Amino acid sequence: MNRFRRLRKTQALRDLVAETRLSVKELIYPMFVIEGEDIKEPIPSMPGVFRWSLDRMDEILSEVAASGISGILLFGIPGTKDAVGSSAYDPDGIVQRVIRQIKAKYPNLIVIADICLCEYTDHGHCGLIGEDHATILNDETLPLLTKMAVTCVQAGADMVAPSDMMDGDVAAIRAGLDAAGFESTPIMGYSAKYASAYYGPFRDAAGSAPCFVDRRSYQMDTRNGKEGIREVENDIEMGADIVMVKPALAFLDVLKEVSEMTDYPIACYNVSGEYAMVKAASANGWIDERRIVTENLTAMKRAGASIIITYHALDVAQWLKEEQA
């Protein structure tokens, strides 16, 4: 008998020689926070995921803290929007207030603030737009992203994650944080972020769909793998402490190449469309959700991710506890 087959004979033997293992500490749970009171609003395209108001956050935060996962990634949904996304960098904005409350009650939970204007602008783009309503004003956007990052860290965020894909964002934010006395605050760059159709449910959840054209002029072409590597190298040169590939499943090849070209920590984002497809197929009885999710996340880690951002995080944490019991 082949010796590898002998090692697959029982589950105990398979576990003993497993090359890749998931850990609850590698997981980050994305959360949507919204202005208002007494809100726990389900997101139809993302079963099990909700928009939370500040006064009901403890319902989910207590579960997150008990799960053992390392932290959360916050996305804000403001009460008002304008052309310049002013509520994004308001020191008393929704995300800034949520961060203060979380760190007061759960000081050991890592809080990562997503830095982008798309949820806060009335046009839904990640940067300012020109008078022609077609041009993204890259350089004019950078000071606003920097201001948002600084106000989030002042509120208590442990890390910032610029998802905007503006050229020079990481460098601008690094300089701004350093100038404000936050030299030790790390930046997780959305380094290789593709203009993907997998983001559809997220845009419903965050209310951030662009009102005109799309984001392909500043997010990456899904056909380009080598460009993703160059974007990662660029973020590292600008001062990113962690790099990311997003989405995860359709870009495992890029994730693998990134892992081979750098020893920096690598995150991947198991995005909303990937989550929604699994949930829909599971609800119809077509797949085994637990096995599919475990297989997907294991593939991400096997490809080189050391951090996995996923809406499945709480379920996976529970499954891992059950396996260890």
Side-chain angles (χ1 to χ4, degrees):
M1 179 182 291
N2 180 290
R3 62 187 173 91
F4 297 113
R5 181 176 294 182
R6 288 195 291 268
L7 291 174
R8 294 193 294 265
K9 189 174 181 180
T10 66
Q11 183 63 48
L13 284 171
R14 290 193 292 272
D15 290 341
L16 179 67
V17 298
E19 298 174 14
T20 308
R21 303 174 192 273
L22 291 176
S23 166
V24 68
K25 290 299 182 184
E26 299 161 343
L27 304 179
I28 298 293
Y29 184 58
M31 290 180 55
F32 300 96
V33 295
I34 189 169
E35 290 278 10
E37 296 180 353
D38 194 28
I39 298 173
K40 178 186 177 182
E41 184 178 7
I43 300 166
S45 57
M46 300 176 68
V49 179
F50 300 85
R51 302 181 188 93
W52 298 91
S53 59
L54 187 64
D55 58 325
R56 294 194 63 175
M57 288 279 293
D58 275 348
E59 296 175 36
I60 186 67
L61 289 172
S62 59
E63 184 178 352
V64 170
S67 72
I69 68 175
S70 286
I72 57 175
L73 175 62
L74 288 177
F75 297 94
I77 306 168
T80 59
K81 303 186 180 189
D82 57 32
V84 296
S86 57
S87 56
Y89 39 89
D90 182 346
D92 200 35
I94 178 61
V95 164
Q96 289 83 352
R97 283 184 281 126
V98 166
I99 292 170
R100 285 194 288 269
Q101 179 166 310
I102 293 172
K103 295 308 291 186
K105 293 188 176 183
Y106 305 93
N108 295 324
L109 191 66
I110 296 173
V111 176
I112 306 170
D114 180 83
I115 304 300
C116 190
L117 300 186
C118 64
E119 298 106 303
Y120 304 89
T121 56
D122 53 15
H123 48 75
H125 277 285
C126 301
L128 302 181
I129 59 173
E131 293 182 0
D132 60 1
H133 282 230
T135 304
I136 302 299
L137 304 178
N138 186 102
D139 292 356
E140 292 85 344
T141 301
L142 298 181
L144 304 184
L145 297 171
T146 300
K147 191 174 181 180
M148 182 182 182
V150 170
T151 58
C152 286
V153 176
Q154 287 172 335
D158 300 290
M159 186 186 304
V160 294
S163 62
D164 54 277
M165 289 300 283
M166 298 293 112
D167 291 343
D169 56 353
V170 171
I173 290 170
R174 181 73 274 156
L177 290 174
D178 291 355
F182 299 114
E183 298 92 341
S184 62
T185 299
I187 297 174
M188 178 168 65
Y190 279 67
S191 309
K193 180 180 178 181
Y194 287 86
S196 173
Y198 281 102
Y199 303 149
F202 175 93
R203 290 170 182 167
D204 289 340
S208 63
C211 293
F212 60 90
V213 197
D214 55 35
R215 296 179 178 139
R216 283 182 286 183
S217 67
Y218 48 97
Q219 294 181 359
M220 292 175 52
D221 190 326
T222 57
R223 298 170 294 183
N224 295 349
K226 291 183 174 62
E227 182 185 3
I229 305 303
R230 293 195 296 271
E231 289 284 3
V232 169
E233 292 172 336
N234 187 50
D235 268 12
I236 291 173
E237 290 173 3
M238 288 194 294
D241 302 281
I242 300 171
V243 295
M244 186 196 300
V245 175
K246 178 185 179 185
L249 283 175
F251 298 93
L252 290 175
D253 59 324
V254 177
L255 181 59
K256 181 64 175 178
E257 286 196 50
V258 170
S259 74
E260 293 174 347
M261 57 80 69
T262 182
D263 58 1
Y264 272 58
I266 303 170
C268 70
Y269 201 141
N270 180 210
V271 298
S272 59
E274 298 167 351
Y275 174 88
M277 289 192 300
V278 169
K279 285 292 186 180
S282 175
N284 279 282
W286 297 335
I287 61 170
D288 180 326
E289 180 178 352
R290 179 169 176 167
R291 289 188 64 187
I292 288 289
V293 172
T294 302
E295 188 172 332
N296 286 347
L297 269 57
T298 300
M300 296 168 202
K301 186 171 181 186
R302 192 175 63 245
S306 50
I307 301 165
I308 301 175
I309 304 165
T310 178
Y311 302 95
H312 296 289
L314 295 177
D315 287 335
V316 173
Q318 180 59 40
W319 297 336
L320 291 175
K321 285 183 180 179
E322 291 171 3
E323 290 176 3
Q324 294 166 4

